[in-house]
């Protein structure tokens, strides 16, 4: 990607540079770009499934479900092409993808720059990179993340939950023999054996042994900000008193993603973090879902919590996941390593997306993220005005947008998510009581026209249920 950290100026050019600057590669990329652009133009509106494909598609899905030991959440099998926020499925349907693989495809589908950088990745020497052998691109990504975060170290990994596992290992080693973790009620941190002990959902722990001691603190309640802050602080103090010196860290999700799209407030987080600092309990911020989605790159920057942060984890839209941490927490050799950090394509694409975010006009009160948020929310408010019994806020923050349909009735909301899928809008649920519909908006691809179309499908589908 043209970035170099090499201060020397050797006379002999690297053969890799000769390959990437070979005019035949540029020509091939141009042809690929032309072909993709031409074909993706054909994907310009929501389409129902092609009746001639429906039976075969159902069979494919059934087969897939039985092979993987459980059906897919949605009958989604992508064909391999899309156009921005629109995606084509194997049944010939075209849908608006407003959940993007739970926040992964932030630049939408078949994005020309992502394809171009993936071609660069494809002609690099290996498909996968890992901790024993990494190419220069991993170094550039690491450098971009450490300098954007202000943290000293960045350890790449293959999933959000592994970033959290690595974070816990670093902290436990540093804080040995402390062996307890503090977390918010209804938090989600992933599903490995250890992390399933933190993720506050009984369904995800059923049948698993307890292998971590976790003490829960209630989250911020916007309907009673001061009272809920006091309650959380008191609960935290009680835990710290009950188990003196035994807590290694508290894990923070600054906007509860799976838990219902609940954002906290700066004063709430500061009250808790100040208390944690008094007891030298480390502050771990899980930004696997929030990273790049609020009007600052990191949610802790948005909430102005920089001085409290010890460790941060990121994932999803970054394509490659990472644990960022301060030098005081540097682990002993051997604690962390993995065969894979990610594929070359992930690493190239992740770096491109993050660089575009940093260098584009995405952040701040007038940045693209906030502008898109406001446009989307205005549309939701219009729907609420027309159908106050069917929909209400919260609307979320930045590119994390949610609404509460049917007063949050889980059965109706779940059913709505599937009817929206059929009508051409892919969303997801969040929270339990109330249950909500959430969108992880593909900021690098979505247009106002797309949002208008999505909102009109949402309104039509919402209304249909009551008829
Ligand atoms: C806040 C948070 N942490 C961790 C994870 C786990 O990430 P992954 O599914 O990549 O392991 C998620 C995934 O949804 C998440 O939202």
């Amino acid at each position: 990607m043209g970035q170099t950290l090499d201060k020397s100026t050797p006379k002999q050019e690297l053969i890799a540079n000769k390959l990437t600057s070979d005019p035949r590669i540029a020509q091939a990329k141009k042809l690929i770009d032309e072909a993709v652009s031409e074909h993706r133009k054909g994907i310009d509106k929501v389409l129902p499934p092609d009746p001639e494909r429906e039976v075969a598609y159902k069979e494919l899905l059934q087969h897939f479900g039985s092979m993987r030991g459980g059906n897919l959440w949605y009958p989604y099998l992508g064909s391999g092409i899309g156009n921005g926020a629109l995606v084509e499925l194997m049944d010939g349907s075209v849908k608006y993808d407003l959940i993007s693989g739970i926040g992964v495809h932030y630049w939408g589908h078949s994005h020309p720059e992502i394809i171009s950088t993936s071609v660069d990745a494809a002609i690099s020497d290996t498909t996968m990179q890992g901790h024993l052998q990494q190419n220069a691109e991993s170094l550039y990504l690491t450098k971009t993340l450490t300098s954007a975060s202000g943290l000293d170290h960045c350890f790449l990994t293959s999933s959000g939950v592994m970033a959290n596992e690595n974070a816990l290992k670093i902290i436990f080693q540093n804080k040995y023999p402390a062996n307890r973790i503090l977390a918010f009620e209804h938090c989600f941190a992933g599903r490995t054996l250890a992390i399933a002990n933190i993720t506050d959902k009984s369904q995800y722990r059923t049948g698993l042994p307890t292998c971590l001691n976790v003490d829960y603190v209630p989250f911020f309640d916007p309907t009673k900000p001061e009272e809920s802050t006091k309650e959380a602080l008191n609960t935290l103090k009680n835990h710290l008193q009950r188990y003196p010196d035994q807590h290694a860290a508290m894990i923070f999700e600054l906007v509860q993603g799976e838990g219902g799209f609940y954002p906290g407030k700066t004063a709430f987080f500061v009250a808790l973090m100040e208390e944690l600092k008094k007891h030298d309990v480390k502050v771990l911020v899980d930004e696997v879902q929030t990273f790049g989605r609020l009007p600052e790159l990191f949610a802790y920057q948005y909430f102005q919590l920089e001085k409290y942060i010890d460790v941060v984890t990121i994932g999803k839209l970054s394509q490659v996941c990472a644990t960022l941490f301060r030098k005081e927490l540097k682990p002993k050799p051997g604690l962390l390593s993995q065969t894979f950090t990610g594929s070359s394509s992930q690493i190239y694409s992740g770096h491109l997306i993050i660089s575009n975010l940093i260098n584009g006009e995405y952040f701040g009160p007038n940045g693209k993220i906030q502008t898109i948020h406001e446009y989307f929310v205005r549309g939701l408010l219009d729907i609420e005005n027309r159908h106050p019994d069917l929909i209400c806020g919260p609307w979320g923050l930045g590119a994390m947008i949610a609404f509460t349909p049917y007063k949050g009735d889980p059965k109706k909301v779940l059913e709505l998510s599937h009817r929206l899928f059929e009508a051409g809008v892919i969303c997801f649920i969040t929270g339990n009581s109330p249950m909500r519909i959430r969108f992880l908006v593909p900021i690098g691809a979505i247009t106002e026209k797309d949002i208008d179309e999505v909102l009109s499908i949402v309104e039509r589908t919402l209304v249909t249920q009551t008829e």
Side-chain angles (χ1 to χ4, degrees):
M1 293 184 54
Q3 185 172 354
T4 177
L5 301 177
D6 187 357
K7 300 253 174 359
S8 63
T9 48
K11 285 197 194 75
Q12 194 63 40
E13 198 184 356
L14 284 175
I15 294 170
N17 292 348
K18 290 184 189 167
L19 170 63
T20 48
S21 57
D22 187 315
R24 287 172 296 181
I25 302 291
Q27 177 64 10
K29 281 172 68 172
K30 192 166 163 277
L31 287 174
I32 290 172
D33 184 49
E34 277 172 19
V36 174
S37 302
E38 196 180 303
H39 291 289
R40 74 182 211 140
K41 271 193 211 135
I43 299 171
D44 59 355
K45 59 176 179 307
V46 166
L47 286 177
D50 171 355
E52 288 184 16
R53 292 179 190 275
E54 265 183 305
V55 175
Y57 190 68
K58 271 197 187 118
E59 278 170 13
L60 274 182
L61 288 167
Q62 267 165 11
H63 189 47
F64 199 179
S66 78
M67 280 189 303
R68 74 190 278 277
N71 287 338
L72 304 172
W73 174 271
Y74 283 132
Y76 181 109
L77 260 188
S79 70
I81 189 164
N83 186 5
L86 288 165
V87 61
E88 180 189 73
L89 304 192
M90 290 286 284
D91 62 0
S93 68
V94 172
K95 301 183 192 299
Y96 272 109
D97 181 8
L98 272 269
I99 199 63
S100 56
I102 311 266
V104 181
H105 320 305
Y106 207 42
W107 252 230
H109 292 266
S110 299
H111 193 285
E113 276 186 87
I114 305 275
I115 292 176
S116 170
T117 201
S118 298
V119 173
D120 292 335
I123 60 164
S124 75
D125 65 321
T126 56
T127 318
M128 296 301 292
Q129 302 195 25
H131 286 286
L132 192 62
Q133 292 186 332
Q134 310 193 49
N135 289 0
E137 204 62 37
S138 299
L139 169 63
Y140 305 148
L141 175 60
T142 302
K143 172 102 174 96
T144 301
L145 286 170
T146 45
S147 78
S149 67
L151 294 166
D152 304 297
H153 302 292
C154 170
F155 192 85
L156 300 180
T157 189
S158 50
S159 67
V161 74
M162 272 313 296
N164 281 338
E165 283 272 344
N166 289 338
L168 287 186
K169 285 168 72 177
I170 291 169
I171 293 169
F172 276 132
Q173 188 176 70
N174 178 272
K175 290 286 298 169
Y176 182 82
N179 64 2
R180 302 188 78 85
I181 289 290
L182 290 146
F184 284 120
E185 289 172 4
H186 311 301
C187 72
F188 184 89
R191 300 179 210 228
T192 56
L193 189 51
I195 304 283
N197 284 256
I198 296 178
T199 291
D200 192 19
K201 195 146 184 181
S202 57
Q203 221 183 327
Y204 302 164
R205 299 186 183 117
T206 306
L208 302 184
T210 300
C211 49
L212 253 190
N213 298 311
V214 187
D215 297 311
Y216 290 98
V217 173
F219 197 70
F220 180 71
D221 182 346
T223 64
K224 36 179 189 161
E226 278 168 28
E227 216 178 310
S228 65
T229 304
K230 257 191 214 151
E231 193 191 336
L233 190 56
N234 284 341
T235 311
L236 173 65
K237 285 180 177 173
N238 287 342
H239 289 314
L240 293 170
Q241 220 169 45
R242 186 168 295 131
Y243 301 107
D245 301 325
Q246 289 184 46
H247 291 100
M250 176 152 180
I251 181 163
F252 285 79
E253 235 186 312
L254 302 176
V255 181
Q256 291 205 308
E258 309 295 304
F261 269 31
Y262 288 103
K265 277 268 187 283
T266 302
F268 171 78
F269 294 128
V270 166
L272 299 181
M273 290 179 184
E274 285 282 346
E275 188 64 22
L276 294 167
K277 290 286 151 186
K278 281 189 212 155
H279 295 261
D280 190 28
V281 176
K282 302 297 176 199
V283 172
L284 158 57
V285 180
D286 175 347
E287 295 231 18
V288 171
Q289 193 157 155
T290 50
F291 176 70
R293 266 181 251 279
L294 303 198
E296 294 296 335
L297 183 62
F298 290 89
Y300 69 81
Q301 294 168 336
Y302 174 77
F303 287 106
Q304 298 175 318
L305 301 167
E306 288 89 336
K307 70 175 187 184
Y308 298 102
I309 308 303
D310 296 299
V311 183
V312 179
T313 54
I314 64 161
K316 296 190 184 282
L317 71 85
S318 56
Q319 317 290 299
V320 193
C321 303
T323 310
L324 294 138
F325 52 100
R326 295 203 185 279
K327 56 178 179 291
E328 298 75 27
L329 285 161
K330 198 172 151 190
K332 296 193 174 104
L335 189 78
L336 306 182
S337 191
Q338 275 175 259
T339 304
F340 296 145
T341 48
S343 67
S344 300
S345 161
Q346 277 173 280
I347 294 161
Y348 279 61
S349 306
H351 194 206
L352 176 86
I353 290 169
I354 296 166
S355 304
N356 280 357
L357 276 172
I358 293 171
N359 301 323
E361 291 166 347
Y362 288 93
F363 300 118
N366 303 316
K368 284 185 197 163
I369 293 177
Q370 185 59 18
T371 309
I372 289 171
H373 176 88
E374 284 169 15
Y375 189 84
F376 209 127
V377 169
R378 267 202 302 278
L380 287 170
L381 282 165
D382 288 343
I383 300 180
E384 186 191 31
N385 282 338
R386 287 190 288 271
H387 310 285
D389 294 343
L390 295 185
I391 165 176
C392 64
W395 315 112
L397 270 181
M400 301 173 75
I401 296 178
F403 67 90
T404 317
Y406 310 131
K407 303 195 165 39
D409 177 335
K411 192 165 164 282
K412 288 186 180 171
V413 179
L414 207 63
E415 196 231 353
L416 175 66
S417 70
H418 288 278
R419 286 191 304 115
L420 279 170
F421 184 89
E422 278 165 30
V425 172
I426 313 176
C427 60
F428 205 50
I429 51 161
T430 178
N432 213 5
S433 179
M435 189 177 277
R436 301 189 165 121
I437 293 289
R438 69 170 137 159
F439 302 117
L440 289 166
V441 182
I443 288 290
I446 201 150
T447 62
E448 289 189 353
K449 182 174 161 283
D450 293 329
I451 298 173
D452 294 342
E453 189 55 34
V454 165
L455 288 167
S456 90
I457 295 171
V458 166
E459 184 164 4
R460 276 203 307 274
T461 314
L462 262 171
V463 172
T464 322
Q465 185 162 35
T466 56
E467 281 170 357

